Amino acid sequence: MNVKQGLKEGDSKARIVASAQQCFSDKSVDKTTLSEIARRAGISKGTLYYYYPTKNDLVFDIAGIHMAQITEKVFAMMEKEEEHPIWKEVLGTLFEGLLGSKTRSRLHLYLINESLSGSPALRDRLELTYTQWFQLVEDGYRRMAGGHAFPDGLARLLVAVLDGLVIQSVTCENRLDYGLLAEVAASLVDGKGDDGNG
């Protein structure tokens, strides 16, 4: 039995994702072809196209995997019973997770660029993703603030700040200071659940 015959469906998809991430890291997203990814994964182009008809589909899936990993880590921090984290710690973990990888940041910028350059389907998917992110921010706030209402517009502001920081993480030579950024962002939300008294 050859390697391809021994692959299960999940194995093929995992190999595609791993190969794509390596290609995107070695080159850039826009300079990587699906053919290269298939070759690196040791599968046929037909198999790759079965799972990912377009490069945008693959990039979107990888970006979603990254975001799910980061979200899981942040929410795990919030649910620790023995010590309740403070906003600075939670936001520091979030910023480092989102901004600490140039490849992850490039994936996000690639998707934004593709959606702006005329892909309505991708734009719709990004809009849905942003809506989910706003909800995640609000859910996280409620957990940290003991169920208090979330201030209007704060989720959009925080996500917009993250988008801007993603651009800086890719374009600026200087490494971002996640601790400082988290401290400033925490000042926007810290104490809001105490009706401004804490």
Side-chain angles (χ1 to χ4, degrees):
M1 176 187 299
N2 67 32
V3 174
K4 289 180 193 171
Q5 289 172 330
L7 285 175
K8 295 179 182 157
E9 183 171 317
D11 295 336
S12 295
K13 198 167 183 180
R15 287 177 63 157
I16 292 167
V17 168
S19 299
Q21 289 183 97
Q22 190 61 52
C23 287
F24 296 155
S25 178
D26 291 348
K27 298 169 95 174
S28 65
V29 180
D30 55 334
K31 291 181 181 173
T32 299
T33 65
L34 289 177
S35 296
E36 287 176 86
I37 294 168
R39 187 168 43 256
R40 185 176 285 220
I43 60 171
S44 69
K45 285 195 285 184
T47 300
L48 188 145
Y49 290 131
Y50 171 77
Y51 293 107
Y52 297 106
T54 69
K55 184 162 62 171
N56 287 348
D57 292 327
L58 177 54
V59 172
F60 208 95
D61 200 20
I62 292 171
I65 291 167
H66 287 178
M67 189 62 186
Q69 291 167 344
I70 294 163
T71 302
E72 185 177 327
K73 186 174 182 181
V74 168
F75 274 74
M77 282 182 72
M78 291 179 183
E79 291 173 356
K80 281 184 182 174
E81 292 180 17
E82 66 277 5
E83 52 182 72
H84 196 66
I86 60 173
W87 277 111
K88 181 181 173 184
E89 294 168 348
V90 171
L91 291 170
T93 299
L94 178 64
F95 287 173
E96 188 161 7
L98 288 173
L99 307 169
S101 163
K102 289 253 189 226
T103 301
R104 186 177 300 120
S105 295
R106 287 185 186 123
L107 291 174
H108 185 65
L109 292 179
Y110 173 84
L111 290 169
I112 290 172
N113 185 54
E114 288 295 298
S115 73
L116 292 174
S117 60
S119 174
L122 185 55
R123 192 175 307 120
D124 290 344
R125 287 180 75 181
L126 272 176
E127 184 176 351
L128 178 62
T129 297
Y130 275 118
T131 301
Q132 292 167 343
W133 288 355
F134 300 149
Q135 190 61 54
L136 284 171
V137 171
E138 291 187 28
D139 291 346
Y141 180 88
R142 281 193 200 91
R143 287 180 192 210
M144 294 280 291
H148 287 278
F150 192 78
D152 287 341
L154 190 54
R156 284 184 179 273
L157 178 64
L158 289 175
V159 172
V161 166
L162 282 170
D163 274 343
L165 291 173
V166 165
I167 293 169
Q168 289 181 37
S169 74
V170 171
T171 59
C172 297
E173 289 295 320
N174 296 334
R175 187 178 181 275
L176 297 173
D177 184 341
Y178 305 120
L180 175 63
L181 293 170
E183 190 172 336
V184 172
S187 71
L188 295 173
V189 295
D190 206 14
K192 296 289 184 186
D194 303 326
D195 299 318
N197 296 324

